[in-house]
Amino acid sequence: MTKADWDSFFQRLDALPKGDRVALKRAVGTMLYQADGRTVRIFYQCLPYAVATWQEDRIFAAACLHCLWDAEVKRQPIEQIFYQLGRDQDISESTGHRLETLLDVSWDEDGFMLTKLVRLIRLAKSKGYAVDCQQLLEDLFYWNGEKQSVQRKWARALYRKPEDSSDVQEGE
């Protein structure tokens, strides 16, 4: 699948009637096999044809999360949101603990990792952030990777100290 295919998928989600977006929104945190018939129909009507079956649960999760926000809202990559939340003194410890727990969990069919992820995303939403679910989807595809590159990327965003990032900026 190309970036254009995913752009098109998320545009189809944005173009859904309000009731269909609400159905997907209500399914946030639900695995595809647990969703009701209407929600499954809406999802498959938007889904590109050439998608591997193993990807469908992750795509469904990203689609439902995408519907938490209005189509017009400006979205940010989740690691950028983690960076900003990590600087918020009121919630940085809580966010750090939640992310630490999430980093140890694999994406499985039981939905446990999704539950942990949804809690973090709802926290971000409550603080006024909107997640770029297209980028999140790419991260979910690689979540169970042997090198844990996604987990490391997210951890770096939350745990790096501001003085650590100055080294990178000076070297550019």
Side-chain angles (χ1 to χ4, degrees):
M1 300 290 302
T2 66
K3 182 178 179 337
D5 292 326
W6 293 120
D7 288 344
S8 177
F9 171 67
F10 283 96
Q11 288 169 4
R12 284 193 297 275
L13 291 173
D14 287 339
L16 286 171
K18 183 177 181 177
D20 289 353
R21 286 182 57 82
V22 168
L24 287 169
K25 181 178 175 178
R26 285 187 185 138
V28 166
T30 303
M31 297 297 280
L32 180 57
Y33 72 89
Q34 299 169 318
D36 65 38
R38 178 179 182 212
T39 306
V40 170
R41 175 189 54 82
I42 295 164
F43 171 68
Y44 279 114
Q45 286 177 333
C46 294
L47 189 67
Y49 181 75
V51 170
T53 305
W54 71 267
Q55 295 176 322
E56 289 181 355
D57 273 327
R58 297 165 202 228
I59 299 166
F60 181 71
C64 293
L65 288 165
H66 182 79
C67 292
L68 285 174
W69 294 275
D70 293 334
E72 306 80 32
V73 73
K74 175 149 174 46
R75 298 166 188 263
Q76 300 176 352
I78 198 163
E79 65 271 13
Q80 184 177 349
I81 294 169
F82 286 154
Y83 177 81
Q84 293 165 339
L85 289 174
R87 303 304 166 263
D88 185 332
Q89 297 303 316
D90 295 334
I91 59 171
S92 62
E93 187 175 329
S94 166
T95 305
H97 179 69
R98 289 179 187 193
L99 181 59
E100 182 179 319
T101 303
L102 181 65
L103 296 176
D104 288 333
V105 180
S106 295
W107 179 279
D108 287 317
E109 291 180 17
D110 65 3
F112 185 71
M113 185 267 185
L114 178 58
T115 301
K116 299 288 185 192
L117 177 63
V118 167
R119 287 182 186 150
L120 267 171
I121 289 175
R122 286 191 188 275
L123 172 68
K125 186 177 188 313
S126 75
K127 296 297 179 180
Y129 298 106
V131 174
D132 179 342
C133 293
Q134 186 170 342
Q135 179 64 47
L136 174 65
L137 177 58
E138 186 175 320
D139 287 350
L140 292 177
F141 285 153
Y142 295 102
W143 187 263
N144 289 348
E146 199 172 292
K147 295 183 180 182
Q148 294 189 323
S149 58
V150 175
Q151 290 89 328
R152 290 194 332 259
K153 176 175 78 169
W154 289 13
R156 267 192 312 273
L158 183 63
Y159 297 121
R160 274 187 87 160
K161 303 284 186 266
E163 59 271 12
D164 293 342
S165 62
S166 65
D167 296 338
V168 173
Q169 293 171 353
E170 291 171 9
E172 292 182 315

